[in-house]
Amino acid sequence: MEFLFADWLGTPAWFWLAFLTIVVALTAFDLGFLHKEDREIGIAESLKLSLFYIGVAMLFGAWIWFARGPEPGMEYFTGYFIEKALSIDNVFVISLIFTYFAIPPRYQYRALLWGIVGVIVLRGLMIGGGAVLLHEAYWVLYLFAIFLIFTGVKMLFTADKPMDIGNNPVLRFISRHIRVTPELHGEHFLAKMPHPVTGKMMTAATPLLLALIVINFADLVFAVDSVPAIFAITTDTFIVYTSNIMAILGLRALYFALAAMVHRFHYLKYALALILVYIGAKIFVADFLMDGGKFPPVWSLGVTFALIAGGVGWSLWKTRQEARRAA
């Protein structure tokens, strides 16, 4: 009992255990019950699963609000919506990766699921490292702010630049040092193949494994933006991690719906860029123009939600107009 109420990174241990239980249960339910067999996920099923995951995230946020108070609850919802918005950009990249490796839709969900497992671990390490840095030196938050502003401005001018999957450094390294099969072997990440010289059977990576590795590498790149963004909202490690992971958990369900409509959200990247600039700028506004006062979480939530809604609305309207002109 003492362990359950012991402080761990500023939050009682039982809060962490409750959250991890939810994550494990959702992952096991998803892999062991919903998708025991590899199959293609339709848009309707994708949207239903997405609503389920969003509902779970909202209930978890309500629990934080009730158990820890309105301010942590508001910070959780703000972090969740920011990460959810930034994760939409992940969908564009993941779609390109699957297309590059010619991964059929029926195998994509399994790769995404194991990718999410890797993300949970990697994000935990990054958030833990960020929390330690901020605990030792608060000025690191200003570095996060400058980085977010720089990244947001850069996104505004490079949003239309396509990602070159073939020149990914991780992919080039693997291709040079690991034997890869030229074709898929069903749902398997590894397969047996004869050595080209000796003829002996050897283990080789399949394109599905390469896609999984590149997806996790791409998420690390995105995490460099999203993790500082949530730390700019709150330095509460529990809020940062749970809002981050709750948004990521529903990404694989939402992927198949968004991937089918990825062309309709072309201009959303500009809204995401403005969100990063806003989050970075508000740190300096709060500390220097508000005499160290805290930026109201409801303001951050409102601005974030408005920018996301504006980006989605503008994208849908603009792409519809372009389609009409093309027709």
Side-chain angles (χ1 to χ4, degrees):
M1 292 297 294
E2 291 183 2
F3 166 75
L4 292 177
F5 290 94
D7 184 273
W8 198 68
L9 296 177
T11 301
W14 74 272
F15 274 81
W16 289 99
L17 290 175
F19 173 71
L20 293 177
T21 300
I22 293 173
V23 172
V24 171
L26 287 174
T27 304
F29 176 73
D30 201 338
L31 184 61
F33 179 76
L34 289 179
H35 299 94
K36 289 188 292 185
E37 299 178 355
D38 290 309
R39 58 186 176 84
E40 185 173 348
I41 305 299
I43 294 178
E45 182 179 0
S46 176
L47 291 175
K48 290 177 182 177
L49 284 174
S50 298
L51 290 175
F52 169 73
Y53 278 103
I54 291 173
V56 172
M58 294 297 100
L59 289 174
F60 186 80
W63 175 60
I64 292 178
W65 192 300
F66 174 78
R68 300 189 56 184
E71 186 169 331
M74 188 67 70
E75 290 173 344
Y76 166 84
F77 285 116
T78 304
Y80 173 80
F81 284 116
I82 288 174
E83 180 57 39
K84 200 69 173 176
L86 293 175
S87 68
I88 293 175
D89 209 22
N90 289 27
V91 171
F92 304 148
V93 175
I94 292 172
S95 179
L96 288 175
I97 293 171
F98 281 143
T99 301
Y100 179 83
F101 288 104
I103 306 297
R106 63 178 301 183
Y107 300 131
Q108 291 178 6
Y109 198 92
R110 184 174 294 271
L112 283 172
L113 182 58
W114 288 112
I116 295 299
V117 173
V119 167
I120 291 173
V121 176
L122 294 174
R123 291 284 178 105
L125 294 174
M126 293 187 66
I127 290 172
V132 171
L133 285 175
L134 289 176
H135 179 73
E136 296 295 329
Y138 180 81
W139 56 266
V140 173
L141 191 61
Y142 297 129
L143 296 182
F144 285 172
I146 294 172
F147 177 77
L148 290 173
I149 294 173
F150 172 79
T151 303
V153 172
K154 183 180 177 181
M155 282 179 63
L156 285 173
F157 293 98
T158 61
D160 292 326
K161 186 177 180 181
M163 182 178 181
D164 189 356
I165 305 296
N167 285 325
N168 185 284
V170 175
L171 180 60
R172 293 203 307 269
F173 177 84
I174 293 174
S175 300
R176 289 196 301 265
H177 295 86
I178 298 177
R179 193 167 299 279
V180 181
T181 63
E183 67 283 332
L184 285 169
H185 288 260
E187 64 182 28
H188 301 292
F189 294 111
L190 298 172
K192 294 286 187 179
M193 64 178 294
H195 192 280
V197 178
T198 65
K200 294 182 178 180
M201 296 302 292
M202 58 178 291
T203 301
T206 67
L208 189 62
L209 178 60
L210 293 187
L212 175 62
I213 294 173
V214 176
I215 286 172
N216 275 278
F217 177 78
D219 181 77
L220 276 178
V221 175
F222 281 109
V224 173
D225 296 336
S226 63
V227 171
I230 299 183
F231 269 120
I233 299 297
T234 176
T235 55
D236 187 322
T237 309
F238 180 77
I239 300 298
V240 172
Y241 186 68
T242 55
S243 61
N244 205 286
I245 298 305
M246 277 296 185
I248 291 297
L249 274 177
L251 176 61
R252 63 184 182 273
L254 186 61
Y255 167 78
F256 293 94
L258 287 181
M261 302 182 292
V262 67
H263 62 286
R264 297 299 307 274
F265 296 96
H266 177 73
Y267 297 95
L268 181 60
K269 290 186 176 182
Y270 296 103
L272 300 181
L274 292 176
I275 289 175
L276 293 179
V277 172
Y278 163 75
I279 294 171
K282 82 180 187 62
I283 294 176
F284 293 105
V285 171
D287 283 5
F288 297 109
L289 299 183
M290 299 175 64
D291 297 324
K294 193 170 184 179
F295 219 79
V298 66
W299 292 9
S300 297
L301 180 60
V303 171
T304 300
F305 191 79
L307 287 173
I308 294 172
V312 170
W314 175 258
S315 292
L316 293 176
W317 180 81
K318 190 70 174 178
T319 52
R320 185 179 182 181
Q321 294 297 316
E322 291 173 352
R324 285 181 174 177
R325 284 197 296 270

